[in-house]
Amino acid sequence: MAHHHVPRLEDTKTTLDGLGPRLFAVSALIGVIGLAATFGLGLSQGDGLRHFGFSYLINFAFFLSISLGAMFFMPIMYVTRASWNVVMRRLAEVTAAVMPLLAVLAIPVIIFAGQIYGWADPAVAGSHAMSHKAAYLSKNMFILRWVIYFCIWTGYSWFFWKTSVKQDSSGDVGLTRRLENYSGFALMICALSVAAASFDLLMSINPLWFSTMFGVYYWAGGFVTFWAVMTLFTMGLQNTGRMRGIVTPEHFHDYGKAMFAFTFFWGYIAFSQYMLYWYANIPEETHWFLIRSQNGWGMTGMVIIFATFMLPFAGLISRYAKRSRKMLAFWAFWIIVAQWINLYWVVMPQFSDSFVFSPMDVTAFFGIGGLWLAGITKLAMGNSLVPTGDPRLEESLRFENA
Amino acid sequence: MKSSVTDLIDNTVDDPTQPQELILGGQDFTSITETVSDIVLERKTPRAWYIAFTFTAGLTGVLFLMIAWLFIKGVGVWGLNNPVGWGWAIVNFVFWVGIGHAGTLISAILFLLRQKWRTSINRFAEAMTIFAVICAGIFPGIHVGRVWVVYWLFPIPNYHHMWPNFRSPLLWDVFAVGTYATVSLLFWYMGMVPDLATLRDRAKGRIQQVVYGALALGWRGSHRHWHRYEKAYLLLAGLATPLVLSVHSVVSFDFATAQLPGWHTTIFPPYFVAGAVFSGFAMVGTLLIPARQWFGLKHIITVHHLENMNKIILATGSMVGFAYATEFFIAWYGGNPNESFAFVNRAFGPYAWAYWIMVTCNVVTPQLFWFKKVRTNIGIMWVMYIFVNIGMWFERFVITVSSLSRDFLPSSWAYYDPTMVDILTFLGSFGLFFTLVLLFIRFLPMVAMAEVKTVMPIADAHSGERRSVGDYHGDIPRHVREVPDGGGK
Amino acid sequence: MGANTKHGDLYGLLIEFESPSLLMAAVEKVRDEGFKKWDVHTPFPVHGMDDAMGIRGTNLPFLVLGGGLTGLGLATLMQWWMNAVDYKFVISGKPLFGLPAAVPVMFELTVLFSAFAAFFGMWILNGLPKLYHPLFTNRRFRRATQDRFYIVVEAADPRFKLEETRNFLASLGGSAVEEVNESAED
């Protein structure tokens, strides 16, 4: 019977080899061209690169959220001693380990902070409402915090990635145990730093608005996107003849479940945040939603309710959809686009009260996305695409959904 | 005798190359069936059970006396004042509902996450959930003031031609808690039917046969039935998972939709859910440790199971700590003086004593679970469960009372003190809870036998070995029977 | 009942197995033999049995979907009609029917009705409760809910021939092939 057959790594290709340099070159080229085009378009706006800054920020925040999702994924799987995901874990490891590149890509956000962030405007910074936190929301403190965030994230994603790679050759079970021991603590540090970073990166664009849920909101969006990206990465590699037969519909079924579950979770968080401010109706809180509910942004918001929540929720509810390769790929792609629109809706209304869309938003997507993918490819090139030394790999290969 | 075997094997050793042994002591299907159903059918009820039952039934009596007194005199017998219109009744409501979250988490979410260890404890936790929700349901019911019109909470046509106000979070609570109680009950009962059939088939007394027979609905283990049964179980688990998120979220809406400083904050829904799971696991542990000891279940509910629960307590306790930190940060960051005052007032105002009890029990205590020694020491963990129970009650007290007692208008600030009626009602609710738990332990299967059997290595039909296991009439003592291999491979 | 005129009072034949792995091999053989009215009885759901028996999926998910949609529709209509049509009153400046405030009850009733559909639908599709069944007359069968595994072939099956089927079952490697009657006489 079918489930007696255990797939073997030897039956498929598990390295990027020839594909690596090509993928790296193409995506890096797209990235450089994309960023150059964005910069050019930004200059042509004649607004002191303000629009450029916002377009850049959306896409930076987007790709950062995916890598942060990957960063959460690894320790979660270690603390729960889960085995089914082992076969795809290397892809998550490199997606998280691209953090130093994201640190470099954060520099423009800092350079253009004056154009993006309300607190950088001296008129706002000097206002009474800001007086108590002017020091916290100052450029120097902002830079300092970003250095700290990236030190934490780089250190820890590299620790997970490097340890796992070391295990490829040694097969040392102790390494797994070591990662398990550090995972709980890693999760705590991550939760705190990601929440704080989301306040800095997105919430403080409007320095007068606040929401305790915001960190969870940003994280949830990134985490669901992470699963969609993993799905597409794996399928893409399979289309080139890699990882075939070892990542089966059983694994994809679980990717689908994760996308479904976190789509729901994201909807729950987004709804709670909105409803509580809608209900209490306090002006200092509702103004954030007010500008996002008119002049075209309201329509965008309606699109988001359907695109990020209702439709993928309905689309992924059935077992059939989660096990059909084409449908899963479709919804993974859909979720990525929808979560991007959501970030657009979070960021862009601070740039303009009425709806705007510019080619820069797209070129910046390809610019940052291209470099991000090139970075991930570079990291994936030297080693196996599968953590071959992991003691739970065998169990992962044999995995079957009950 | 069984414990001697158990003590030899430490199944908390973490070895990534080996699947964990969930059930110890060389158990097979026969011995699992015997161990669990004998508690109900064969074993003499321990004298301790009667003593405990007498005591808890007495406490339950106190609860009903207090409620009767309340009905006669009105809510003035409580310590409520102006501005503190929500006192212990609401604190107790949230406390009990929170405890009622562990069962569904274990039975639904851990099921979807394929956490096999859940099978040893899910029945117990589900039962506890239902009893906790019953206790919870009493408090808002008796808090309405005019209890004789309590049916106005439901959309029932009445002679006033009134309908309930669906825009009120308090009404959402009626639906959320009502749905939760109903679905938990269905889930619990459905899970129990195969085990009730086991009791029916082992029962010797006529009354037992008839009662368990009726409750078992004629279950005969048909695989055509199992097939739909498993599908229904999966569907119910899928439904119960968002439901469990929603219940305590809706409870948090009672507070968070208000404009009161300290209540109105967006992180409340997930923070309440994490706190609920935290307190629920602590309560499950509080009850499970004595139960496994007294009823010889140490080989089924092993230290490994308890350690896993402790890890969940650590995780959810840390989430609660994270939420405290976020709230404090945003109270400062937001710049609203009333909001920041509310938090300073909590930590240093008249209720500082309650606040620091809460922080110590909820944030500091669970951090000890980072140490494996603590996670696997029965005595220490039991003490810590008690701490968490206390801490989570105080969390609800701090949220409810400290915010209300000092809101926007300093001229109407007032300190809240509970009365004896408040205190006795709360203690009485423990009486009801433990009475129900004791009845459950005595009359229903405490461990989900059918589910435990599925996670035993010998249940795997594809292990390739044609093993013959167990011997019903065997004269070999159960505990020295050969350990079925396969557990280690 | 009634379909068993061929063999009088006989309900079917029962064979016992000691472990799931022994059972599984036998089940596949019974399936391949082409029997239609037969069943497997186990103390717990044995993994892989659906394939071994050749059971197809169930309609239960569609029932649950129907239940969920009913609950959702009902909750929406109820809140709208009660608060915005039949008994209008403005409270805390909220619209008579505002979606954010309606969502919690919509969600709860969706889950409640889905759960009812899953729970009651499962019992109805299974034909339970059914407190009497011929198999309950067999003493051995009591272990079907404890620690033994059974295959039962009904006399009503068109391929059922008492001696042939008995010999076939006996060849499957289990123990104790027994006849089960419709009603308990002994």
Side-chain angles (χ1 to χ4, degrees), chain B residues 29-30 33 155 161-167 171-172 175-176 178-180 182-183 186-187 189-190 193-194 197-198 200-203 209 213-214 216-232 235-236 239-240 242-243 246-247 250 253 450-451 453-454 458-473, chain C residues 18-22 24-25 28 36 38-50 53 55-58 60-61 64 78-79 81-83 86-87 89-91 94-97 100-102 104-105 107-112 114-116 118-120 122-123 125-131 133 135-136 141-149:
Chain B
F29 302 138
T30 314
T33 310
H161 302 289
M162 296 191 310
W163 294 115
N165 170 25
F166 283 99
R167 288 150 293 178
L171 195 69
W172 306 345
F175 281 83
T179 301
Y180 187 60
T182 313
V183 173
L186 296 181
F187 206 15
Y189 177 61
M190 196 185 104
V193 165
T198 308
R200 171 198 67 202
D201 291 343
R202 289 179 65 87
Q209 283 174 344
L217 306 178
W219 182 263
R220 53 186 188 273
S222 152
H223 189 78
R224 292 179 198 279
H225 292 173
W226 277 124
H227 171 65
R228 295 192 195 93
Y229 178 94
E230 284 202 285
K231 193 74 188 175
L235 288 164
L236 279 178
L239 290 164
L243 180 64
S246 84
V247 180
V250 169
F253 292 160
E451 289 192 59
K453 289 170 193 169
T454 62
I458 44 172
D460 183 3
H462 290 298
S463 56
E465 291 153 72
R466 297 277 181 270
R467 272 189 302 246
S468 162
V469 293
D471 185 2
Y472 191 56
H473 305 291
Chain C
E18 291 201 325
S19 78
S21 40
L22 291 168
M24 194 62 97
E28 286 168 5
K36 292 277 173 288
W38 65 291
D39 208 341
V40 174
H41 297 263
T42 55
F44 58 86
V46 177
H47 187 60
M49 186 60 76
D50 293 348
M53 285 179 73
I55 297 181
R56 286 189 308 272
T58 149
L60 200 59
V64 172
M78 175 178 75
Q79 297 188 74
W81 183 75
M82 288 180 184
N83 280 178
D86 194 50
Y87 182 52
F89 61 106
V90 175
I91 191 156
K94 297 282 174 293
L96 290 174
F97 179 77
V105 173
F107 174 80
E108 298 300 336
L109 288 194
T110 307
V111 171
L112 184 66
S114 306
F116 279 146
F119 181 82
F120 294 108
M122 185 271 290
W123 294 120
L125 290 176
N126 278 346
L128 295 175
K130 183 178 180 189
L131 296 187
H133 192 275
L135 285 167
F136 292 149
F141 187 73
R142 291 189 184 171
R143 292 177 71 179
T145 57
Q146 302 176 39
D147 52 3
R148 284 293 185 273
F149 304 81

Side-chain angles (χ1 to χ4, degrees), chain C:
Chain C
M1 302 177 203
N4 57 331
T5 43
K6 205 165 49 161
H7 296 284
D9 198 34
L10 184 69
Y11 171 76
L13 287 172
L14 165 151
I15 176 169
E16 181 180 290
F17 295 89
E18 291 201 325
S19 78
S21 40
L22 291 168
L23 171 77
M24 194 62 97
V27 165
E28 286 168 5
K29 285 185 194 140
V30 178
R31 175 197 63 195
D32 296 341
E33 197 70 9
F35 286 109
K36 292 277 173 288
K37 293 195 160 204
W38 65 291
D39 208 341
V40 174
H41 297 263
T42 55
F44 58 86
V46 177
H47 187 60
M49 186 60 76
D50 293 348
D51 285 342
M53 285 179 73
I55 297 181
R56 286 189 308 272
T58 149
N59 291 330
L60 200 59
F62 294 100
L63 272 181
V64 172
L65 182 68
L69 292 175
T70 309
L72 179 65
L74 200 71
T76 316
L77 271 177
M78 175 178 75
Q79 297 188 74
W80 167 76
W81 183 75
M82 288 180 184
N83 280 178
V85 178
D86 194 50
Y87 182 52
K88 293 182 192 167
F89 61 106
V90 175
I91 191 156
S92 73
K94 297 282 174 293
L96 290 174
F97 179 77
L99 204 55
V103 164
V105 173
M106 284 159 67
F107 174 80
E108 298 300 336
L109 288 194
T110 307
V111 171
L112 184 66
F113 279 68
S114 306
F116 279 146
F119 181 82
F120 294 108
M122 185 271 290
W123 294 120
I124 291 166
L125 290 176
N126 278 346
L128 295 175
K130 183 178 180 189
L131 296 187
Y132 176 77
H133 192 275
L135 285 167
F136 292 149
T137 60
N138 186 296
R139 290 195 70 80
R140 189 178 283 280
F141 187 73
R142 291 189 184 171
R143 292 177 71 179
T145 57
Q146 302 176 39
D147 52 3
R148 284 293 185 273
F149 304 81
Y150 298 86
I151 296 175
V152 175
V153 180
E154 289 180 37
D157 190 286
R159 296 180 67 93
F160 185 91
K161 290 192 190 72
L162 187 55
E163 284 315 308
E164 258 177 57
T165 309
R166 187 202 306 272
N167 293 338
F168 167 69
L169 289 178
S171 75
L172 292 177
S175 54
V177 181
E178 284 188 8
E179 289 182 20
V180 178
N181 289 327
E182 282 286 357
S183 50
E185 281 151 30
D186 43 351

Side-chain angles (χ1 to χ4, degrees), chain B residues 283-302:
Chain B
M283 186 58 93
V284 174
T286 310
L287 301 175
L288 215 45
I289 286 178
R292 72 193 273 277
Q293 205 94 19
W294 292 335
F295 294 100
L297 295 171
K298 281 196 209 164
H299 53 297
I300 298 178
I301 302 161
T302 66

Side-chain angles (χ1 to χ4, degrees), chain B residues 194-206:
Chain B
D195 288 351
L196 290 167
T198 308
L199 294 184
R200 171 198 67 202
D201 291 343
R202 289 179 65 87
K204 301 203 177 77
R206 189 67 191 146

Side-chain angles (χ1 to χ4, degrees), chain B residues 475-486:
Chain B
D475 47 7
I476 315 162
R478 214 180 292 156
H479 65 286
V480 296
R481 267 180 217 143
E482 198 188 355
V483 180
D485 63 327

Side-chain angles (χ1 to χ4, degrees), chain A residues 110 135 172 216 226 288 358:
Chain A
I110 289 167
D172 179 5
V216 187
F226 157 76
W288 196 85
S358 112

Side-chain angles (χ1 to χ4, degrees), chain A residues 222-233:
Chain A
F223 203 59
V224 68
T225 320
F226 157 76
W227 283 102
V229 166
M230 279 302 113
T231 307
L232 292 185
F233 274 5

